[in-house]
């Protein structure tokens, strides 16, 4: 499969009064044409920072790129000027943000916010851009688009605002859509409608999607591949059915165990992941999940494993997958 996006050894940090925060620590992944890749993990694991890095929307300073490449259609976005990125954002790469009320300009009518991008990127006349904007609102199932185009964001419900955000992101037919928690604040019925809409538009426009979420139910329904992030690193990546059927990393297994299932008994309790993520002011030398892992071995504390390459589509970073891994000590769970 030909890749639209390739992220290679990306490292993003933030300079603060207390020191450097290593938010993204050498991640590598790709997104193929017409593919949906889900990035999952706990809050603070680096998902949104990764998206902001791809879009070049991080405030610099305090953020800065320590290394790596972001290749979009073979061109490194980190080498682009701000003016060049303005021609890419909203045109070739678009983003649906987590909270549409903070992303839409409350002082501007909905129609103007869509028209502005069409006139800038597609060089449309104002009349043609207005017509296209009405069509986009109709496409995302906003009722009475000719009327709603002249309304302000506060006049829309949460679900309708999210539909407007999708219309805004889709207006210029982007090759890549980054959806950062697109359904977090919505009820389950509206969530299902938004996700169905995204799949429909993906099929119509042939675009690729990066879906950032912590909702594994959405991941199972939407994605082709899954990237599992923790403490600024990728711990596991694989096809969606591989991740759900046979997770290789203990962190992935614990994430899946924390999801409610229809076959659970009434007395059965949901699992939780004890402890807290490591301090990224001073990241651990070894596996970042060591302190919270019941299956950890001594080698995990000071040595971060590489990816297990025995499968072409499914890799993880865990010493338990090493062919020479010793049997764990059943008494303390730390191994020999």
């Amino acid at each position: 499969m030909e890749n639209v996006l390739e992220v290679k050894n990306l490292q993003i940090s933030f300079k603060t009064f207390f020191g450097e925060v290593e938010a993204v620590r050498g991640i590598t992944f790709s997104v193929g044409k017409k593919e949906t890749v889900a990035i999952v993990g706990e809050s603070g694991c680096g998902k949104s920072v990764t998206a902001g890095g791809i879009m070049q929307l991080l405030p610099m300073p305090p953020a800065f790129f320590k290394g790596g490449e972001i290749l979009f259609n073979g061109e490194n976005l980190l080498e682009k000027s701000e003016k060049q990125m303005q021609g890419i954002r909203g045109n070739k790469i678009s983003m649906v943000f987590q909270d549409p009320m903070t992303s839409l300009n409350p002082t501007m009518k909905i129609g103007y916010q869509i028209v502005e991008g069409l006139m800038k990127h597609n060089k449309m006349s104002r009349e043609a851009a207005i017509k296209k904007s009405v069509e986009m609102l109709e496409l995302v199932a906003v009722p009475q688009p000719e009327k709603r185009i002249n309304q302000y964001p506060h006049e829309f419900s949460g679900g309708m605002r999210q539909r407007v955000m999708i219309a805004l992101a889709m207006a210029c037919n982007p090759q890549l859509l980054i959806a950062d928690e697109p359904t977090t604040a919505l009820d389950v019925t509206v969530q299902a409608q938004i996700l169905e809409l995204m799949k429909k538009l993906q099929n119509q426009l042939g675009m690729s999607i990066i879906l950032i979420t912590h909702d594994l139910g959405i991941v199972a329904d939407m994605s082709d591949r899954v990237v599992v992030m923790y403490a600024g690193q990728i711990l596991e990546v694989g096809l969606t059915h591989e991740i759900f059927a046979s997770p290789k990393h203990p962190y992935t297994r614990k994430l899946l165990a924390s999801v409610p299932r229809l076959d659970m008994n009434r007395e059965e309790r949901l699992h939780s992941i004890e402890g807290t993520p490591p301090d990224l002011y001073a990241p651990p030398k070894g596996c970042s999940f060591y302190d919270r892992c019941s299956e950890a071995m001594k080698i995990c504390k000071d040595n971060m494993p590489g990816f297990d390459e025995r499968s072409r589509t499914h890799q993880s970073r865990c010493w338990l997958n090493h062919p020479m891994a010793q049997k764990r000590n059943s008494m303390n769970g730390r191994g020999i």
Side-chain angles (χ1 to χ4, degrees):
M1 179 186 295
E2 186 178 352
N3 291 326
V4 172
L5 182 77
E6 294 180 75
V7 175
K8 298 183 178 180
N9 193 32
L10 182 63
Q11 302 165 60
I12 304 174
S13 291
F14 290 81
K15 291 180 180 178
T16 72
F17 179 79
F18 299 101
E20 179 185 334
V21 178
E22 298 181 34
V24 175
R25 302 188 290 145
I27 65 170
T28 297
F29 68 95
S30 63
V31 182
K33 284 190 175 181
K34 301 182 181 180
E35 183 181 35
T36 299
V37 174
I39 302 179
V40 304
E42 293 173 276
S43 296
C45 71
K47 305 185 300 294
S48 294
V49 174
T50 299
I54 294 171
M55 294 289 289
Q56 304 273 344
L57 288 175
L58 300 175
M60 296 187 179
F64 67 98
F65 292 97
K66 290 185 69 175
E69 295 179 313
I70 303 173
L71 302 179
F72 179 67
N73 291 329
E75 297 183 5
N76 190 359
L77 297 183
L78 298 184
E79 297 176 351
K80 300 289 185 182
S81 66
E82 174 57 24
K83 184 175 182 180
Q84 289 173 316
M85 284 303 303
Q86 288 177 7
I88 294 174
R89 294 191 207 105
N91 184 20
K92 297 179 180 179
I93 306 176
S94 287
M95 188 165 179
V96 177
F97 295 91
Q98 184 171 347
D99 184 0
M101 202 56 194
T102 59
S103 304
L104 294 168
N105 190 325
T107 68
M108 294 182 180
K109 294 179 180 179
I110 291 297
Y112 179 80
Q113 297 186 52
I114 302 175
V115 165
E116 185 181 32
L118 289 169
M119 292 177 66
K120 178 179 179 179
H121 295 302
N122 290 4
K123 309 301 180 185
M124 287 184 172
S125 66
R126 183 172 182 81
E127 292 72 19
I130 291 174
K131 182 179 178 180
K132 176 70 173 180
S133 298
V134 171
E135 291 174 358
M136 290 306 303
L137 291 179
E138 187 175 13
L139 186 63
V140 298
V142 171
Q144 298 179 298
E146 296 86 356
K147 175 184 175 182
R148 304 305 294 269
I149 199 173
N150 292 312
Q151 293 180 326
Y152 292 91
H154 72 270
E155 299 180 79
F156 289 71
S157 67
M160 283 296 127
R161 282 196 293 266
Q162 197 64 292
R163 290 173 185 269
V164 170
M165 279 296 300
I166 293 174
L168 182 61
M170 301 285 197
C172 295
N173 295 341
Q175 293 177 263
L176 176 65
L177 175 71
I178 302 175
D180 187 2
E181 303 278 10
T183 60
T184 296
L186 306 178
D187 62 64
V188 291
T189 303
V190 178
Q191 278 188 20
Q193 294 172 351
I194 294 296
L195 295 174
E196 186 63 32
L197 173 63
M198 288 176 62
K199 288 193 288 187
K200 176 183 176 182
L201 293 176
Q202 182 181 30
N203 291 331
Q204 288 181 0
L205 303 177
M207 66 182 177
S208 304
I209 295 177
I210 295 178
L211 177 63
I212 297 173
T213 183
H214 59 265
D215 190 328
L216 294 177
I218 293 176
V219 172
D221 183 51
M222 283 284 295
S223 67
D224 300 303
R225 282 192 301 126
V226 180
V227 173
V228 181
M229 285 191 70
Y230 181 76
Q233 294 179 312
I234 292 175
L235 297 186
E236 185 165 2
V237 59
L239 300 176
T240 302
H241 69 85
E242 294 175 327
I243 295 292
F244 279 84
S246 182
K248 291 184 176 182
H249 200 283
Y251 177 61
T252 310
R253 290 196 286 269
K254 287 182 178 292
L255 281 179
L256 292 171
S258 66
V259 178
R261 304 189 315 275
L262 292 176
D263 61 349
M264 292 180 67
N265 298 323
R266 294 181 62 182
E267 298 78 14
E268 191 175 351
R269 296 176 62 88
L270 283 175
H271 294 274
S272 61
I273 305 177
E274 297 181 356
T276 57
D279 186 353
L280 295 184
Y281 284 110
K285 295 180 181 179
C287 178
S288 53
F289 193 57
Y290 172 79
D291 288 333
R292 305 173 74 186
C293 182
S294 60
E295 302 176 77
M297 301 180 290
K298 288 182 178 180
I299 192 174
C300 304
K301 184 175 182 179
D302 296 313
N303 298 275
M304 184 65 188
F307 279 99
D308 175 20
E309 300 290 350
R310 285 178 288 179
S311 169
R312 184 176 61 85
T313 59
H314 190 184
Q315 295 95 33
S316 72
R317 302 180 75 173
C318 183
W319 285 114
L320 293 173
N321 299 322
H322 195 281
M324 298 182 65
Q326 299 178 356
K327 293 183 179 179
R328 287 163 291 153
N329 187 324
S330 60
M331 295 297 293
N332 60 21
R334 293 293 184 186
I336 299 173

